[in-house]
Structures are given as structure tokens and as C-alpha cells.
Amino acid sequence: RFWLNSSPNPSASSERPTLPNLSFPHTPPTPAVTMAAEQSAEHFRGQARLPGFAAPRRYDLRLTPDLAACTFAGSVSVSVDVAAPTRFLVVNAADLDVSPGDVHFAPKGSGQVLLPVEVTSALEDEILIIRFNEVLPLGEGTLVIAFQGTLNDKMKGFYRSVYELNGEKKNMAVTQFEPADARRCFPCWDEPSFKAVFKITLEVPCETVALSNMPVVEEKVNGPTKTVYFQESPIMSTYLVAVIVGMFDYVEAFTADGTSVRVYTQVGKSAQGKFALEVAVKTLILFKEYFAVPYPLPKMDMIAIPDFASGAMENYGLVTYRETALLFDERHSAAANKQRVAVVVAHELAHQWFGNLVTMEWWTHLWLNEGFATWVSYLAADRFFPEWNVWIQFLEESTTGFRLDALAGSHPIEVDVNHVDEIDEIFDAISYRKGAAVIRMLQSYLGAEIFQKSLAAYIKRFAYSNAKTEDLWAALEEGSGEPVKTLMHSWTKQQGYPVVSVKLKDGKLELEQTQFLSSGSEGVGQWVVPITLCCCSYSVQQKFLFRGKQDDFNLSGLVECQKKDDFWIKLNVDQTGFYRVSYDEELASRLRHAVETNILSAADRYGVLDDTYALCMAGKQKLVTLLHLIAAYKNETEYTVLAHAINTSLSIYEMMAVAAPEELVNMKKFLIDFLEPFAQRVGWDAKSGEGHLNALLRGTLLSALAELGHQSTIDEAVRRFNVFLEDRETPLLPPDVRKAAYVALMQTVNKSNKSGYESLLKIYRETDLSQEKVRVLGSLASSPDPDVVREALNFLLSSEVSKESGLYICAPRSDCSSA
Ligand code: BES
Ligand code: ZN
């Protein structure tokens, strides 16, 4: 089959027209422009958005995948509302075969069926331009299109994933539509604001499980195949539609109000779904309360997919996950894996409200979806697992956001998006991590209760509809009476963030803000900074908005406080603000003392270190100041703070290896002296009844010592590893220290002695647990010998390592630090 008129867009250029108005539905164009007679197919090319003269109301979608041939056939019948005169219908479609005879339009009540005179596919724009001879009657009509496609292996659109069943390789059919790949499965209005109802029907082999967003209403068996009819969905965006066909087992539980929650896994692995199931049930209950709206669908299915492009995807009622983000094996998963599962589940379920029920109006507002889900996933994890101290761990999210946003090439949280190719670029640390951090900053400025109430009002107001960033600000401004818009615009519409310099002069505090750039130069940005500060004690906290470039503040009680021996001032209390602070020498040394004597909160201890490190890397402070500060953490008790000190130290070490190799020996000694006492306390074996954070710390510490080439750590690792190699169930190598042991083992590997490398490959090949595979892959390149590193990298790119495992290691959102 061939496209009619299939031609690339002749007018495409690298310069995309910018949208004059980001609000949508478009303000109606002038009558002169809409005059149907003046329309031509060329008008629709090179546009950022589909024309607004016709919109879908209901899709009746039928798909017949052929799992053996990796193809599918489909037909879609769309109820369309024609709102302005037109001779054209324009829909998204890509990589689909449509014949001219496969398209028709039936205006409602006319008894007529209109056949198009021309169907043009504009490849660059991923649209189908359907031209009729006459102007379509206003009002409702049905557009019917039959099509065929390939179950591709690109992990997007309607694709195939491979799994093993009884030793045999099998294909499953899976969809991944966000951001703009529903169009690769069926022709549609593939933009988030074109919400419609979906009625889905699948024709599949009898023995398979067929899943979609809604529950099954009926199944009809016809020979070797069955037709599965799903319930009609509430109105939703195309990027959230999902379909899955394959062989699975599941575990099931119910929420108090009777919503069925299931976790689907490979056949025989359903026990690994239990932890995620528990978290999901609790999360649905929590979010119902938090958003003050019940979960909108009758069921929630969650499923692990062997080949999956991201970590997880929040399809409405059918959330898909990479195996490592959903499955938990009591004997072989690590504490870090458990936390990852809990956080990812909470994140995706948050989207069911924030994203699915209330959807961003356009991709410019993607950060609202992702930043918010990221923030609220910590809120849920903190509620269910308070002993994990996840709000301290959240600071790692901020740090990653800080790092990207300190580059001149960063971008604002809100960005214009004028072409589909630009959407993928913004699923990054700015949307996710800076987004989450500025939401946290706002929540802490407004107060938890006001924030939650205003949010619930926002969800209610925009349910089954679309919203923009400003709509959220408006709801929060109404709920709080605070100037939310002015405050937040400075954070979402300009890139970067400030460093606030603090000086103590004549009993006054002098503040100055400049844009922080990791290059060391000063940017021109200026922010409305919600300053919080404590002076000598946490019992009184001062708060104010710092809008200017420079200002003096009279601090009440400052003079008294200054007389004390252990005088200190800390800005950005508990690190809830997205800014850095640079203290004058006196204040900095006072803070170091406060760290040493454990007077500061854990979050503040993290902040002092992180800000000093960043300032040092930007050339604003001396390395010795930083090293001196690191030494002040020798009695650190909080996992995240110590882990940050370790990571900071390792990055200094790596930098020195290049910049000052003659100092490396001294540096190594300094770091090992710092880490050894901790490692002795924590040991290799779990203490009975010890907490989650201890388990995380053990892995982090031993990995660091292994990376530094600490001989006794390496020897012990190798000893334990050899036992493990013979007996994978040995208690000598519990999951929390395996990654460390693998890294240590790789320190002993070189060109002429590759046995450690071969043993790791053996483990990789023999395990059927993805988390174990990822641990091996993440360790293989830890050899000091470049030839071995090259071999490891080639292995990562080989066909033996599935597409996704390679992605996992370098994906911007992946949790690379996890065990
Ligand atoms: N909506 C995203 C999935 C997604 C990412 C779709 C990129 C298309 C492109 C999902 O909600 C998500 O954010 N997943 C994260 C995991 C999350 C816990 C941070 C991911 O995939 O990394
Ligand atoms: Zn998300």
C-alpha cells in the first residue's frame, strides 16, 4: 500500500514559526482566514498545532495485532465536531498505511458518506491532510479510517517487546504514546488538549491477556482468536491511551472503596508484584484524600514490560513500568530497589490526578505534570516510610536540578514548544527536578495546609479538562492571598537561579543576589527569593521575600546572638528554597563549626556542603576550604548527608586525577581516612533489625572504598564474591552490598586477568532479575584497565544487552546511584 501524495514537507525549515498565543483552544482566527474556500493543504504544513476547526469527541478504536508477524491492522471511527467551515480534516498519523479508499466522513443525520478527493501525508509534520470536494456541514460527523502498521522494535507507538515463556521467546504488543506517538498506532488528534472518550476493542489470540485503560465489558471467542470489548473511558488525552497483549500473571488487591488494583508480571513472577501492589493501594487512598477527588477510573492495572524506554508511564488506568521500577524480590532486591519502586509507583499514580484528570494544555506546561508528580511522590513515600527520611534524600533531586541549571545552555521551566521533536528535550532535570524543587519552595512558603487546599480546588476546577501553569498559580493565589504569580514567574519563566551572598556588617545583614553559573561568570537573572533564616537556634525563623539586587536587613536579636561562642546564621533553612548561599568568611567558619558540633539540621548540613562544593567548582572558593569542610562531617549520622560528602569527595578525586595527579596519593589517603571509620562501624553484614538507611549507607560506603582501590575492602569483596559465585543464596553477599562487591571485583580485572569480568558476565546471564542485571552492567566498566573498559562498553552496546538496559545507564531521569 502507498500513501496518496506522500511527500515530505516542502516548506519545512529549521526555523519553526513561533506560536503567537500559547493558549488553546486557539482564539478563533478571523473569518477571512477561515473562509473554507481559501484553505489549501499547504496551510497545514509546518504548523506547531493542529487546526482548531474540527475536534474529536469520541473514538471507537479497533486493533488486531499479529504477534507472530509483528504487524497490526486497525480501524478508527471518530465522532468529530466541525466548528468552522472547512473542506479539510487534518489529523496526526505516522508510520501507518492508509489507502485513499480507507477514509470517509459521514456528517450526522445527512445519510451521506463523503469520500475525500485527496489524502496527503505530510511526513515531517506527521499529519494526514484529508481534502473533500465540498465544505463540511457544521456540527457532528463521523470520520472513519482503516489502517495498517508494524509492531516496531523502537519502544514507542504500538511496539513489540520480547519475553520468555517456558524457555521460548515470545512477542507481546505494548503501547507507549507519550509524548506524541499515539499517531503511530492510529490516526488521531494527538495533542493533550484534544480530549475525547475512547471505546477500545481488541482482536487477539485466545490464550493471551488483553489489557487497556478500562475494564473488559465482554469477550467473544471466535476460533483461535477472541474479541475483547473494553468499557468506554472518561474523556482523556491520546498520550494516555494504552493497549497490551501478552501472557501474564497478576496479584490483586482492592482499595477501601472497591477499586481493583492489579500488578501484572511475567508468568510465574507474580510474587514480585506484591510490594508495588501494597504501595499502590495505599497511594490511591492517600491521593484521594490529598486531592479531595476519588480515583476517577474503576480499576488500576500496573504492568512490568521487559523492553521499556523510560522508567514508567502513567497511562490512565494501565500504568506501564520497566521491570526494575515495579518488581521487588525479597531475596535479591536491594533497599535502594525497594525505594525506587515505592517512589516510581507514587509518581505514576499521582499523574492519575495531576496529568490525567487535569491535563497540561500544551507541552509548554509539561513541567507541571512532571515536577508536581516528582514532588508529591516524596510526600507519599514520606507518609508510608517515615524512617526513610526521603525529604532529605529529595535534596539530591534539587542538586541535580542545580547542576543542569547552572549551565549557560539551560532553559526555563516553561518553554515554547513548536514541533514534536522539541518535546522529548524537556523531559529533563529542569522539568522534573527543578520543577519539583520550586514546587517544594512554594509549598513551604505558603504552608502545607493552604497549599493542599488550593491544590484540591485547582483539581476540582480543571477536572476532565486542561490547565496551564498560570491556572495553578491563580488557584494558589486565591487560596493564600500571597503574590504567587509574581513570585513564581521569576522561577519558571527565566532559566537559572541565584546565589545569595551574605555579609555581616555593623550588626546588619547585607544580602546580594547574582545568577549562579558553574562557569564562574555572573548571569543577569534576578529572582523573587523567599529567604528564610535562623540565627543561633531553630526556634525562631525569619522569613521575607528578597526582590532587589542588594539589601540590608536589621535582624532582631542578632546583636545578642553574635555574642555567643557558637554563633551561627543559616539561610535557606532546611534547604527548601531553590537558591544557593555564599557566606562571608566569618559566617562560613561559624557554620563549619555548627556542622562539626551537629547543631544544624541534616538538611542544612547537606546544604552547607552542597553550596560550598558548587562555589568551589565555580572557582569562587578554595579547594582547601572545601576539604576542610568535608572533614567536619567525620561524625555524620544521616545517610543522605554522608552519601553526599562521599560523592563530592569522589568527584574531587576524579578531577584531581586529571588536574593535579601529583596530589592524588595525598587525596586518596585523606578520603580513605575519612571513610574507614564509617565502614568499620557499618561492616559488610546487616545487623539484625537495622534500618533501611543503614542498608543504603553500607552499599554507598563500600562502593566508594572499592572505587578508591582500598585494598582490604577489595580483598573482602573478592572473598565474599567467590562464595556467592558458587551459591547465589549465600548470606555473605546480600543484595545491598552486591554492587559494591562487583565494583571491587572489577578493580582486580585487567587485560591479562579477566576472570572477575567473566564471572560477572556469568551472573548477568544466569539471573532473571532485572535489578541484578543492572547491578552487573553498572559495575562492568569499573576496571582500571582502559582495554577492559572498552570491552565492557562494547558489551553494553551488544545485542545481548537489551535495548533498555543500555538506556538505563545513561537516561537522564534514571536513578544511577541505585544499587
Ligand atoms: N510521563 C513519564 C514517562 C515519560 C518520560 C514518557 C519521557 C515520555 C517521555 C513518567 O511519569 C515518568 O516521569 N517516569 C519517570 C520515572 C519517575 C519516577 C521520575 C521516568 O521514566 O524516568
Ligand atoms: Zn512523570
Side-chain angles (χ1 to χ4, degrees):
R1 288 180 170 222
F2 294 98
W3 286 105
L4 264 194
N5 255 346
S6 180
S7 63
N9 178 359
S11 61
S13 72
S14 56
E15 292 265 302
R16 299 263 160 204
T18 48
L19 265 185
N21 179 0
L22 285 172
S23 67
F24 192 81
H26 305 308
T27 27
T30 59
V33 179
T34 54
M35 281 306 290
E38 289 181 15
Q39 287 177 331
S40 89
E42 288 315 305
H43 277 133
F44 307 119
R45 294 176 182 270
Q47 300 296 315
R49 315 265 291 251
L50 290 171
F53 49 65
R57 297 288 173 246
R58 181 181 185 276
Y59 291 83
D60 203 325
L61 172 64
R62 197 182 173 103
L63 292 169
T64 310
D66 181 333
L67 297 176
C70 292
T71 58
F72 62 95
S75 69
V76 65
S77 164
V78 198
S79 305
V80 179
D81 184 28
V82 180
T86 177
R87 289 183 294 121
F88 289 88
L89 288 176
V90 183
V91 299
N92 290 113
D95 304 335
L96 294 175
D97 286 348
V98 180
S99 286
D102 289 341
V103 184
H104 68 255
F105 183 73
K108 193 174 175 179
S110 69
Q112 265 185 314
V113 173
L114 308 179
L115 297 177
V117 284
E118 191 178 37
V119 179
T120 311
S121 127
L123 295 184
E124 283 250 339
D125 299 304
E126 302 185 341
I127 55 173
L128 213 53
I129 305 168
I130 307 167
R131 181 163 71 85
F132 297 90
N133 232 345
E134 57 261 72
V135 174
L136 304 179
L138 296 188
E140 216 180 301
T142 307
L143 173 68
V144 179
I145 306 179
F147 52 90
Q148 300 197 333
T150 305
L151 290 175
N152 70 71
D153 62 353
K154 298 186 183 128
M155 300 189 283
K156 63 180 187 179
F158 200 12
Y159 73 95
R160 62 174 185 267
S161 175
V162 181
Y163 62 111
E164 259 186 38
L165 187 68
N166 306 324
E168 217 182 289
K169 283 212 178 334
K170 289 202 155 269
N171 291 329
M172 65 171 89
V174 190
T175 54
Q176 167 58 44
F177 289 168
E178 194 184 12
D181 294 313
R183 64 191 65 178
R184 289 187 159 69
C185 180
F186 62 99
C188 56
W189 278 257
D190 199 11
E191 293 178 5
S193 67
F194 283 113
K195 284 191 169 187
V197 160
F198 287 83
K199 172 95 184 74
I200 293 175
T201 305
L202 298 177
E203 219 176 299
V204 298
C206 271
E207 69 280 8
T208 57
V209 176
L211 299 171
S212 185
N213 308 85
M214 298 296 288
V216 173
V217 270
E218 198 189 349
E219 278 194 20
K220 281 189 200 153
V221 175
N222 24 28
T225 63
K226 60 183 177 185
T227 309
V228 184
Y229 301 87
F230 294 92
Q231 242 179 63
E232 192 165 284
S233 76
I235 64 164
M236 58 187 279
S237 306
T238 47
Y239 80 89
L240 295 166
V241 171
V243 160
I244 296 170
V245 183
M247 308 274 268
F248 311 103
D249 278 351
Y250 67 85
V251 283
E252 182 175 33
F254 294 86
T255 63
D257 35 13
T259 308
S260 150
V261 186
R262 290 183 181 178
V263 176
Y264 283 87
T265 67
Q266 284 181 45
V267 173
K269 296 271 185 66
S270 64
Q272 293 182 9
K274 283 186 186 161
F275 176 68
L277 181 66
E278 245 169 67
V279 173
V281 170
K282 287 197 251 182
T283 306
L284 288 175
I285 295 169
L286 173 69
F287 287 160
K288 173 187 170 182
E289 185 191 308
Y290 192 78
F291 296 118
V293 175
Y295 172 62
L297 301 188
K299 61 95 174 169
M300 165 52 69
D301 291 333
M302 312 204 294
I303 183 164
I305 307 294
D307 305 283
F308 197 73
S310 60
M313 174 63 210
E314 70 266 25
N315 312 301
Y316 221 174
L318 176 53
V319 180
T320 41
Y321 294 83
R322 171 179 293 230
E323 290 181 349
T324 49
L326 185 69
L327 305 180
F328 182 77
D329 181 307
E330 286 294 340
R331 285 170 309 138
H332 296 286
S333 298
N337 300 133
K338 187 174 209 172
Q339 187 176 323
R340 170 83 178 151
V341 170
V343 169
V344 179
V345 168
H347 176 114
E348 303 311 332
L349 296 193
H351 279 313
Q352 306 300 308
W353 284 262
F354 216 97
N356 301 8
L357 181 62
V358 177
T359 310
M360 69 214 142
E361 187 274 332
W362 180 242
W363 298 106
T364 296
H365 309 286
L366 172 76
W367 84 276
L368 262 191
N369 263 14
E370 298 305 349
F372 189 86
T374 300
W375 173 77
V376 88
S377 69
Y378 279 80
L379 184 123
D382 187 51
R383 199 64 73 85
F384 307 144
F385 305 101
E387 70 282 10
W388 292 0
N389 291 356
V390 292
W391 283 118
I392 316 268
Q393 299 196 52
F394 180 87
L395 299 175
E396 290 289 351
E397 304 268 358
S398 311
T399 296
T400 314
F402 274 142
R403 197 178 309 137
L404 180 51
D405 210 23
L407 302 176
S410 181
H411 63 83
I413 282 182
E414 286 183 80
V415 278
D416 285 354
V417 172
N418 293 310
H419 188 265
V420 279
D421 296 346
E422 296 170 10
I423 308 172
D424 274 336
E425 296 172 12
I426 52 177
F427 283 89
D428 65 358
I430 298 300
S431 300
Y432 279 74
R433 310 200 195 222
K434 181 182 183 183
V438 301
I439 286 168
R440 180 167 192 234
M441 175 164 74
L442 181 61
Q443 190 235 17
S444 102
Y445 179 71
L446 298 179
E449 201 181 320
I450 287 178
F451 188 80
Q452 187 251 321
K453 292 226 160 79
S454 317
L455 242 150
Y458 162 85
I459 295 284
K460 192 168 255 160
R461 191 174 305 161
F462 293 97
Y464 301 105
S465 173
N466 296 83
K468 297 187 284 251
T469 305
E470 314 254 309
D471 296 324
L472 178 61
W473 299 158
L476 287 160
E477 194 156 312
E478 265 169 51
S480 68
E482 293 282 340
V484 175
K485 263 182 218 162
T486 325
L487 168 64
M488 293 311 285
H489 278 177
S490 77
W491 296 94
T492 63
K493 291 189 186 290
Q494 69 180 331
Q495 72 183 57
Y497 55 89
V499 51
V500 176
S501 306
V502 199
K503 280 196 193 101
L504 202 54
K505 215 171 162 192
D506 310 328
K508 280 189 195 146
L509 218 50
E510 272 186 16
L511 301 190
E512 180 180 2
Q513 61 162 308
T514 49
Q515 181 174 359
F516 180 81
L517 288 167
S518 54
S519 63
S521 46
E522 279 178 17
V524 293
Q526 195 167 315
W527 288 262
V528 181
V529 189
I531 300 279
T532 50
L533 80 86
C534 279
C535 188
C536 286
S537 133
Y538 282 98
S539 59
V540 187
Q541 206 183 102
Q542 320 242 3
K543 289 183 178 206
F544 51 91
L545 292 180
F546 174 38
R547 297 163 188 263
K549 177 95 184 122
Q550 236 170 342
D551 225 330
D552 288 354
F553 290 92
N554 285 311
L555 258 190
S556 60
L558 178 65
V559 180
E560 287 311 300
C561 184
Q562 241 181 307
K563 291 180 192 147
K564 295 187 186 159
D565 276 351
D566 54 0
F567 163 67
W568 57 271
I569 290 181
K570 169 77 176 55
L571 272 77
N572 195 9
V573 179
D574 283 332
Q575 296 299 113
T576 54
F578 195 72
Y579 56 93
R580 295 199 179 280
V581 184
S582 167
Y583 299 90
D584 68 20
E585 230 170 272
E586 163 74 10
L587 290 174
S589 102
R590 296 289 191 156
L591 270 176
R592 185 172 47 72
H593 184 68
V595 166
E596 222 160 26
T597 48
N598 216 5
I599 287 169
L600 296 185
S601 69
D604 284 334
R605 298 199 297 274
Y606 181 103
V608 169
L609 176 62
D610 194 46
D611 285 352
T612 308
Y613 172 70
L615 288 163
C616 177
M617 290 301 128
K620 302 288 182 195
Q621 283 185 14
K622 289 193 184 127
L623 185 59
V624 4
T625 314
L626 175 61
L627 294 177
H628 197 186
L629 179 65
I630 290 175
Y633 289 79
K634 65 177 184 301
N635 295 317
E636 183 53 54
T637 48
E638 182 67 34
Y639 158 69
T640 307
V641 181
L642 183 52
H644 199 58
I646 293 172
N647 291 337
T648 304
S649 306
L650 288 179
S651 89
I652 300 169
Y653 183 73
E654 278 163 18
M655 191 187 62
M656 275 184 140
V658 180
E662 68 284 359
E663 288 299 329
L664 215 52
V665 178
N666 286 336
M667 183 65 189
K668 183 170 161 177
K669 182 171 179 330
F670 169 81
L671 293 180
I672 287 179
D673 288 350
F674 177 67
L675 294 180
E676 253 179 346
F678 290 105
Q680 261 151 27
R681 236 169 289 155
V682 172
W684 275 85
D685 299 298
K687 317 267 178 304
S688 82
E690 76 172 7
H692 177 81
L693 294 175
N694 238 19
L696 294 182
L697 179 58
R698 177 172 300 114
T700 307
L701 263 174
L702 295 175
S703 291
L705 283 167
E707 271 173 57
L708 288 168
H710 183 242
Q711 201 54 48
S712 60
T713 301
I714 293 174
D715 294 344
E716 184 61 12
V718 171
R719 181 181 81 81
R720 289 172 182 254
F721 179 82
N722 286 334
V723 180
F724 174 70
L725 200 55
E726 296 307 313
D727 169 17
R728 304 295 152 84
E729 303 297 326
T730 175
L732 281 183
L733 207 61
D736 293 309
V737 295
R738 272 183 213 165
K739 171 90 183 276
Y742 301 165
V743 169
L745 178 70
M746 283 306 302
Q747 299 292 321
T748 68
V749 174
N750 55 46
K751 254 196 313 291
S752 44
N753 172 17
K754 290 205 327 201
S755 75
Y757 180 78
E758 306 294 345
S759 305
L760 281 177
L761 286 189
K762 188 166 149 65
I763 290 178
Y764 179 84
R765 289 175 177 141
E766 286 174 6
T767 182
D768 60 354
L769 185 69
S770 297
Q771 288 152 350
E772 187 66 66
K773 286 190 192 284
V774 169
R775 277 196 285 264
V776 173
L777 294 179
S779 321
L780 280 181
S782 300
S783 160
D785 184 336
D787 285 332
V788 178
V789 173
R790 194 169 305 117
E791 186 170 344
L793 295 178
N794 281 328
F795 178 70
L796 292 185
L797 297 175
S798 73
S799 59
E800 186 177 347
V801 178
S802 74
K803 295 182 281 291
E804 66 155 27
S805 312
L807 280 170
Y808 185 90
I809 288 164
C810 50
R813 287 175 315 284
S814 72
D815 181 2
C816 297
S817 63
S818 76

